[in-house]
Amino acid sequence: MTDPTARGPAARPSPEELLLLHAEAMASFGRRVAGVAANQWSAPTPCEGWSVRELVNHLTVEQLWVPELLLGATIAEVGSRFDGDRLGGDPVAAWTAAAAAARTALTGPYALELTVHLSYGDRSALEYCSELTVDLTVHTWDLARATAQDAHLAPELVDFALHEVTPYADQLAGTGYFAPAVPTAPDADPQTRLLGLLGRRTEPEPRIDPELMS
């Protein structure tokens, strides 16, 4: 595999390719949501201060925003509509519905040619979809790690996320959303390098037996 950090702007996928990557990232996260045991929702995750339920809620809320932003709504116009816990009594169903609505919005005619009004300024929907894809990819690892599921990420998603994140990796810790980068070996595999850039440690941990979790 070519080192994604060495590629230039021409490596950015086409809109059609990006939508395929996004679909794969969405499905990958969704499989881990479906695999959460009933007594794992309060378990801690690699995202400091977030339980499994809070992590899934974060991603669910992120999907709820997608149709609104693609319709041209601003942060102020949406307001607090999606604040708080949006998972209710059936987290898997809540995630599935939100994910389906987001995909419908993103795959609509000319959707990726639109401009969205984000909290840090206006961005193209293409850039927005790229950010969503990276977020889904990384949080798939977080969720899998927290619930003892398969934490192996699809190579094409890792490749894409590395290419997106590397140019601004040294600025991430300063945003307050990421832990400081974790140094990785020069010959580390792409997934380890990606997770290290995003402040995640990948040392082996004991398998978690869901039956033993409170």
Side-chain angles (χ1 to χ4, degrees), residues 3-16:
D3 181 354
T5 66
R7 301 183 305 178
R12 179 175 287 277
S14 68
E16 294 76 17

Side-chain angles (χ1 to χ4, degrees), residues 25-83:
M26 186 88 82
S28 184
F29 186 79
R31 286 193 296 273
R32 272 67 173 199
V33 174
V36 176
N39 54 358
Q40 287 182 316
W41 290 100
S42 61
T45 71
C47 300
E48 186 174 355
W50 279 5
S51 67
V52 168
R53 186 180 180 93
E54 288 166 333
L55 174 63
V56 174
N57 186 67
H58 167 71
L59 269 295
T60 299
V61 169
E62 192 168 80
Q63 309 319 309
L64 291 173
W65 275 90
V66 174
E68 299 292 334
L69 293 175
L70 288 176
L71 285 172
T74 65
I75 301 297
E77 287 170 342
V78 175
S80 60
R81 195 187 320 165
F82 302 133
D83 287 0

Side-chain angles (χ1 to χ4, degrees), residues 2-213:
T2 302
D3 181 354
T5 66
R7 301 183 305 178
R12 179 175 287 277
S14 68
E16 294 76 17
E17 291 169 333
L18 177 57
L19 285 174
L20 288 174
L21 287 167
H22 176 264
E24 183 170 8
M26 186 88 82
S28 184
F29 186 79
R31 286 193 296 273
R32 272 67 173 199
V33 174
V36 176
N39 54 358
Q40 287 182 316
W41 290 100
S42 61
T45 71
C47 300
E48 186 174 355
W50 279 5
S51 67
V52 168
R53 186 180 180 93
E54 288 166 333
L55 174 63
V56 174
N57 186 67
H58 167 71
L59 269 295
T60 299
V61 169
E62 192 168 80
Q63 309 319 309
L64 291 173
W65 275 90
V66 174
E68 299 292 334
L69 293 175
L70 288 176
L71 285 172
T74 65
I75 301 297
E77 287 170 342
V78 175
S80 60
R81 195 187 320 165
F82 302 133
D83 287 0
D85 186 294
R86 308 296 300 183
L87 299 183
D90 191 340
V92 176
W95 156 259
T96 302
R103 276 297 294 178
T104 297
L106 283 166
T107 56
Y110 311 108
L112 295 189
E113 297 178 16
L114 300 171
T115 296
V116 292
H117 310 297
L118 303 178
S119 60
Y120 49 85
D122 289 357
R123 294 290 186 273
S124 71
L126 193 70
E127 293 175 290
Y128 179 43
C129 186
S130 295
E131 293 178 14
L132 292 169
T133 303
V134 171
D135 209 37
L136 285 161
T137 298
V138 175
H139 284 314
T140 293
W141 183 87
D142 293 328
L143 182 57
R145 190 74 170 210
T147 56
Q149 299 186 64
D150 180 11
H152 178 265
L153 302 173
E156 58 271 25
L157 292 177
V158 172
D159 183 66
F160 172 75
L162 257 180
H163 188 262
E164 290 293 305
V165 168
T166 298
Y168 55 86
D170 58 349
Q171 305 171 33
L172 293 176
T175 66
Y177 295 109
F178 297 90
V182 175
T184 55
D187 61 347
D189 63 87
Q191 177 169 315
T192 299
R193 285 190 284 127
L194 171 65
L195 295 170
L197 286 176
L198 298 174
R200 286 152 169 85
R201 298 184 180 277
T202 60
E203 293 90 343
E205 294 181 357
R207 292 281 296 179
I208 305 170
D209 182 351
E211 296 302 321
L212 299 179
M213 297 183 65

